[in-house]
Amino acid sequence: EVQLVESGGGLVHVGGSLRLSCEASGFTSDDYAIGWFRQAPGKVREGVSCITARSETRYYADSVKDRFTISSDNTKNTAYLQMNSLKPEDTALYYCVLDDSALCYDDVPPAITAYNYQGQGTQVTVSS
């Protein structure tokens, strides 16, 4: 059974940084795409970023471009989302998704329906 566990969320002041981690267990493929979505109360779910492991193609939403960096470490079965220069509008529940059939394109937002596995999420709160 594939499980994704996110960590690294918390409360941070405007301009601060956080690094989210998504650890996968029960998943052995080295050909996959992993993504990060976020959901804030009353707002539409947003595909923040994704990466295709083999090609290292990355996507970033305009709202986070140049502030967030996605990476993956196959040796640790873990993906990361480094978030810098955080803003109050970044406040949301962040969760990772994973699938060995999905692809990440640098100019196309990830579709939640393309991913079979999803974690429970980690809360990020940015105070002004």
Side-chain angles (χ1 to χ4, degrees):
E1 179 186 2
V2 176
Q3 289 189 327
L4 302 177
V5 178
E6 301 95 336
S7 62
L11 175 64
V12 65
H13 291 297
V14 169
S17 298
L18 287 173
R19 188 177 79 156
L20 305 184
S21 299
C22 173
E23 183 174 0
S25 60
F27 189 82
T28 57
S29 174
D30 63 352
D31 186 11
Y32 59 87
I34 194 162
W36 288 92
F37 283 77
R38 66 185 180 186
Q39 179 87 61
K43 294 187 178 180
V44 176
R45 178 177 54 207
E46 181 181 22
V48 174
S49 182
C50 63
I51 182 171
T52 302
R54 283 191 175 177
S55 67
E56 296 193 13
T57 301
R58 292 172 170 84
Y59 167 86
Y60 296 101
D62 287 343
S63 57
V64 305
K65 201 168 291 184
D66 299 325
R67 298 188 298 122
F68 290 12
T69 302
I70 191 171
S71 61
S72 64
D73 186 339
N74 285 346
T75 65
K76 297 181 180 179
N77 290 334
T78 301
Y80 305 95
L81 186 68
Q82 177 67 43
M83 307 187 298
N84 299 327
S85 302
L86 284 162
K87 305 175 181 180
E89 51 263 44
D90 294 319
T91 295
L93 180 68
Y94 286 72
Y95 55 96
C96 64
V97 295
L98 172 71
D99 199 272
D100 56 4
S101 298
L103 291 173
C104 181
Y105 301 94
D106 61 4
D107 58 352
V108 178
I112 191 68
T113 54
Y115 296 85
N116 277 324
Y117 307 110
Q118 177 180 317
Q120 294 298 310
T122 184
Q123 178 67 35
V124 171
T125 303
V126 184
S127 65
S128 57

